[in-house]
Amino acid sequence: MKKTFKFIPLLAAGALLTACDLGTNTKDPSLNAADVPQGTAVRTTLAKEKMNEAVTAMAKDDAIGISMDDAFLHYSLSVEKTIPTQKDNTTSIAIEKHTNIDHAGFSVGVRGLTSTSLEELNGSATAKATFDIGGSISMPDFEKTYSAPKGSYGFGAYLQGNKTYLDFSNVNFLSMLEEKMGEKDDYRRRHGQSETSLALDGKIVFDNGLVAEDLPFTSQKRLTQWTTALSEKIERIASKGGKLQALQHEDGSYSYSVSALSLKQADEFMDELDLDEAFEFETEERDDEEEIGGFHFQRSVNSEFNVNSYGMAFVFDEEGISSIGTSIDVSYRFEDKFTVNGVTYGTKVAMNYTLNEKINFLLGTEVTIENPSEPETYREVVLNKKQLKDLIDIID
């Protein structure tokens, strides 16, 4: 299934987005994407058997669609580094980032999934959301604030064989991408890395790298690999303090889900979340003091990663997957003080992250595909692998 969704970040990137208000010990009622209807408990082995039946049915579908409505994401990260300069004087480096995305929705449809011909492969996507994205970097002799215009954003994307069309004519969306590119380039320059070298405008079309050997996209093997990975993730969460549920519902569907609430010092959950940027610091607490060569060293490290709530629900029936819902509410605090002969260096980090998204699957005649209007107005660009990765990273 990895190949199946290879182009979806280009069709609906930014779509799996969602929101926040962290620090509580009870579940926010708005974090409902992973909720499932009441049902009768069944064996997990039975639920997995039904999951395999759903995959078998889905593998025969030439068209698959996914949609999402009213998802939200709020993310904030602050980092402060304190560095001594002269006696009783210090300098500091402060970094702040925030992403608030509300009312996020998207619709994606793809046809030709069982075909071996690129000419029969086509798809489309639309996405919309309300954005508030920004941040700042402050250090000696350098200060910059990043912000994209607040408001409603949207974009369209279209897949036609090995061509992907991206419509960034929404001014707010294009401005947000440019701000993110500028921020990424500033970071790369300061770390001796090459810049993105991407030139974006309102409408572009490019070769997405797909070849006939990639087809057909769907097969029972690929779908099974994908659903197995999801179920294994659910089971890993359960093994770390979550509650596992396998239910049968009145409409004949089944669900396989996990929920966790108020887990303190849950460092092992970091591996389950794609938040590497926030977790680049140590999590092990320590308090060391020693004398080496006439120098007195003292170090104190304190950190706390809490899972305020977490949920993932996988719903399916005899026709295929119905929905996948995820809700996450986590917070992270870190402080590191390192003192040499009374001179102290320090780092403080605070991160809050909340996500709520529910993806609904469409099959067969439910799937609708749109074509780009006036395709001749799209500027054709050539992207190498690095630029294509940069584009996905920036959109995502």
Side-chain angles (χ1 to χ4, degrees), residues 182-195:
E183 181 182 2
K184 185 180 285 289
D185 282 344
D186 278 339
Y187 176 86
R188 287 181 169 182
R189 280 194 294 269
R190 290 188 167 273
H191 288 77
Q193 300 173 3
S194 60
E195 299 179 17

PDB file of all heavy atoms in Angstrom, residues 182-195:
ATOM      1  N   GLY A 182      11.199  29.722   3.280  1.00  0.00           N
ATOM      2  CA  GLY A 182      12.169  30.673   3.806  1.00  0.00           C
ATOM      3  C   GLY A 182      12.707  30.258   5.157  1.00  0.00           C
ATOM      4  O   GLY A 182      13.911  30.353   5.427  1.00  0.00           O
ATOM      5  N   GLU A 183      11.816  29.763   6.015  1.00  0.00           N
ATOM      6  CA  GLU A 183      12.235  29.299   7.331  1.00  0.00           C
ATOM      7  C   GLU A 183      13.173  28.104   7.204  1.00  0.00           C
ATOM      8  O   GLU A 183      14.205  28.020   7.881  1.00  0.00           O
ATOM      9  CB  GLU A 183      11.007  28.922   8.153  1.00  0.00           C
ATOM     10  CG  GLU A 183      11.319  28.442   9.551  1.00  0.00           C
ATOM     11  CD  GLU A 183      10.065  28.042  10.317  1.00  0.00           C
ATOM     12  OE1 GLU A 183       8.965  28.108   9.740  1.00  0.00           O
ATOM     13  OE2 GLU A 183      10.207  27.655  11.484  1.00  0.00           O
ATOM     14  N   LYS A 184      12.826  27.176   6.324  1.00  0.00           N
ATOM     15  CA  LYS A 184      13.663  25.988   6.127  1.00  0.00           C
ATOM     16  C   LYS A 184      15.036  26.376   5.571  1.00  0.00           C
ATOM     17  O   LYS A 184      16.067  25.836   5.987  1.00  0.00           O
ATOM     18  CB  LYS A 184      12.957  25.003   5.188  1.00  0.00           C
ATOM     19  CG  LYS A 184      13.685  23.675   5.007  1.00  0.00           C
ATOM     20  CD  LYS A 184      12.915  22.775   4.072  1.00  0.00           C
ATOM     21  CE  LYS A 184      11.695  22.182   4.725  1.00  0.00           C
ATOM     22  NZ  LYS A 184      12.036  21.168   5.745  1.00  0.00           N
ATOM     23  N   ASP A 185      15.060  27.348   4.653  1.00  0.00           N
ATOM     24  CA  ASP A 185      16.324  27.766   4.072  1.00  0.00           C
ATOM     25  C   ASP A 185      17.217  28.458   5.095  1.00  0.00           C
ATOM     26  O   ASP A 185      18.438  28.270   5.095  1.00  0.00           O
ATOM     27  CB  ASP A 185      16.085  28.692   2.876  1.00  0.00           C
ATOM     28  CG  ASP A 185      15.675  27.925   1.629  1.00  0.00           C
ATOM     29  OD1 ASP A 185      15.878  26.695   1.603  1.00  0.00           O
ATOM     30  OD2 ASP A 185      15.152  28.541   0.689  1.00  0.00           O
ATOM     31  N   ASP A 186      16.628  29.280   5.966  1.00  0.00           N
ATOM     32  CA  ASP A 186      17.418  29.920   7.022  1.00  0.00           C
ATOM     33  C   ASP A 186      18.086  28.873   7.910  1.00  0.00           C
ATOM     34  O   ASP A 186      19.263  28.986   8.264  1.00  0.00           O
ATOM     35  CB  ASP A 186      16.526  30.832   7.881  1.00  0.00           C
ATOM     36  CG  ASP A 186      16.318  32.191   7.229  1.00  0.00           C
ATOM     37  OD1 ASP A 186      17.137  32.573   6.379  1.00  0.00           O
ATOM     38  OD2 ASP A 186      15.327  32.860   7.580  1.00  0.00           O
ATOM     39  N   TYR A 187      17.315  27.851   8.259  1.00  0.00           N
ATOM     40  CA  TYR A 187      17.855  26.782   9.103  1.00  0.00           C
ATOM     41  C   TYR A 187      18.987  26.056   8.377  1.00  0.00           C
ATOM     42  O   TYR A 187      20.045  25.786   8.952  1.00  0.00           O
ATOM     43  CB  TYR A 187      16.734  25.806   9.467  1.00  0.00           C
ATOM     44  CG  TYR A 187      17.199  24.606  10.267  1.00  0.00           C
ATOM     45  CD1 TYR A 187      17.296  24.668  11.662  1.00  0.00           C
ATOM     46  CD2 TYR A 187      17.538  23.417   9.628  1.00  0.00           C
ATOM     47  CE1 TYR A 187      17.734  23.576  12.392  1.00  0.00           C
ATOM     48  CE2 TYR A 187      17.972  22.322  10.351  1.00  0.00           C
ATOM     49  CZ  TYR A 187      18.063  22.403  11.736  1.00  0.00           C
ATOM     50  OH  TYR A 187      18.493  21.313  12.450  1.00  0.00           O
ATOM     51  N   ARG A 188      18.776  25.756   7.099  1.00  0.00           N
ATOM     52  CA  ARG A 188      19.781  25.011   6.350  1.00  0.00           C
ATOM     53  C   ARG A 188      21.062  25.810   6.165  1.00  0.00           C
ATOM     54  O   ARG A 188      22.168  25.277   6.256  1.00  0.00           O
ATOM     55  CB  ARG A 188      19.208  24.596   4.984  1.00  0.00           C
ATOM     56  CG  ARG A 188      18.176  23.483   5.084  1.00  0.00           C
ATOM     57  CD  ARG A 188      17.653  23.090   3.728  1.00  0.00           C
ATOM     58  NE  ARG A 188      16.871  21.866   3.804  1.00  0.00           N
ATOM     59  CZ  ARG A 188      16.318  21.272   2.759  1.00  0.00           C
ATOM     60  NH1 ARG A 188      16.457  21.787   1.564  1.00  0.00           N
ATOM     61  NH2 ARG A 188      15.611  20.169   2.917  1.00  0.00           N
ATOM     62  N   ARG A 189      20.930  27.099   5.894  1.00  0.00           N
ATOM     63  CA  ARG A 189      22.126  27.933   5.719  1.00  0.00           C
ATOM     64  C   ARG A 189      22.965  27.952   6.987  1.00  0.00           C
ATOM     65  O   ARG A 189      24.196  27.897   6.933  1.00  0.00           O
ATOM     66  CB  ARG A 189      21.721  29.353   5.325  1.00  0.00           C
ATOM     67  CG  ARG A 189      21.369  29.531   3.861  1.00  0.00           C
ATOM     68  CD  ARG A 189      21.305  30.988   3.473  1.00  0.00           C
ATOM     69  NE  ARG A 189      20.215  31.672   4.150  1.00  0.00           N
ATOM     70  CZ  ARG A 189      18.996  31.791   3.648  1.00  0.00           C
ATOM     71  NH1 ARG A 189      18.713  31.276   2.468  1.00  0.00           N
ATOM     72  NH2 ARG A 189      18.048  32.425   4.310  1.00  0.00           N
ATOM     73  N   ARG A 190      22.309  28.045   8.134  1.00  0.00           N
ATOM     74  CA  ARG A 190      23.033  28.121   9.399  1.00  0.00           C
ATOM     75  C   ARG A 190      23.643  26.786   9.793  1.00  0.00           C
ATOM     76  O   ARG A 190      24.441  26.718  10.721  1.00  0.00           O
ATOM     77  CB  ARG A 190      22.106  28.646  10.498  1.00  0.00           C
ATOM     78  CG  ARG A 190      21.773  30.096  10.299  1.00  0.00           C
ATOM     79  CD  ARG A 190      21.016  30.711  11.463  1.00  0.00           C
ATOM     80  NE  ARG A 190      21.017  32.148  11.301  1.00  0.00           N
ATOM     81  CZ  ARG A 190      21.950  32.972  11.728  1.00  0.00           C
ATOM     82  NH1 ARG A 190      22.996  32.477  12.352  1.00  0.00           N
ATOM     83  NH2 ARG A 190      21.888  34.274  11.532  1.00  0.00           N
ATOM     84  N   HIS A 191      23.221  25.705   9.120  1.00  0.00           N
ATOM     85  CA  HIS A 191      23.795  24.393   9.409  1.00  0.00           C
ATOM     86  C   HIS A 191      24.622  23.879   8.225  1.00  0.00           C
ATOM     87  O   HIS A 191      24.903  22.682   8.120  1.00  0.00           O
ATOM     88  CB  HIS A 191      22.686  23.389   9.746  1.00  0.00           C
ATOM     89  CG  HIS A 191      22.060  23.614  11.092  1.00  0.00           C
ATOM     90  ND1 HIS A 191      21.145  24.622  11.316  1.00  0.00           N
ATOM     91  CD2 HIS A 191      22.241  22.987  12.285  1.00  0.00           C
ATOM     92  CE1 HIS A 191      20.778  24.588  12.589  1.00  0.00           C
ATOM     93  NE2 HIS A 191      21.429  23.627  13.194  1.00  0.00           N
ATOM     94  N   GLY A 192      24.984  24.794   7.312  1.00  0.00           N
ATOM     95  CA  GLY A 192      25.847  24.440   6.200  1.00  0.00           C
ATOM     96  C   GLY A 192      25.219  23.507   5.190  1.00  0.00           C
ATOM     97  O   GLY A 192      25.917  22.782   4.478  1.00  0.00           O
ATOM     98  N   GLN A 193      23.887  23.516   5.102  1.00  0.00           N
ATOM     99  CA  GLN A 193      23.189  22.645   4.166  1.00  0.00           C
ATOM    100  C   GLN A 193      22.704  23.454   2.962  1.00  0.00           C
ATOM    101  O   GLN A 193      22.551  24.669   3.023  1.00  0.00           O
ATOM    102  CB  GLN A 193      21.988  21.976   4.861  1.00  0.00           C
ATOM    103  CG  GLN A 193      22.374  21.131   6.064  1.00  0.00           C
ATOM    104  CD  GLN A 193      21.156  20.629   6.822  1.00  0.00           C
ATOM    105  OE1 GLN A 193      20.020  20.856   6.429  1.00  0.00           O
ATOM    106  NE2 GLN A 193      21.399  19.933   7.933  1.00  0.00           N
ATOM    107  N   SER A 194      22.436  22.752   1.871  1.00  0.00           N
ATOM    108  CA  SER A 194      21.960  23.424   0.669  1.00  0.00           C
ATOM    109  C   SER A 194      20.510  23.846   0.823  1.00  0.00           C
ATOM    110  O   SER A 194      19.740  23.233   1.555  1.00  0.00           O
ATOM    111  CB  SER A 194      22.096  22.490  -0.541  1.00  0.00           C
ATOM    112  OG  SER A 194      21.338  21.310  -0.348  1.00  0.00           O
ATOM    113  N   GLU A 195      20.135  24.903   0.118  1.00  0.00           N
ATOM    114  CA  GLU A 195      18.776  25.426   0.212  1.00  0.00           C
ATOM    115  C   GLU A 195      17.822  24.575  -0.628  1.00  0.00           C
ATOM    116  O   GLU A 195      18.226  23.686  -1.370  1.00  0.00           O
ATOM    117  CB  GLU A 195      18.760  26.883  -0.243  1.00  0.00           C
ATOM    118  CG  GLU A 195      19.644  27.783   0.611  1.00  0.00           C
ATOM    119  CD  GLU A 195      19.644  29.218   0.144  1.00  0.00           C
ATOM    120  OE1 GLU A 195      18.740  29.590  -0.623  1.00  0.00           O
ATOM    121  OE2 GLU A 195      20.552  29.970   0.536  1.00  0.00           O
TER     122      GLU A 195
END
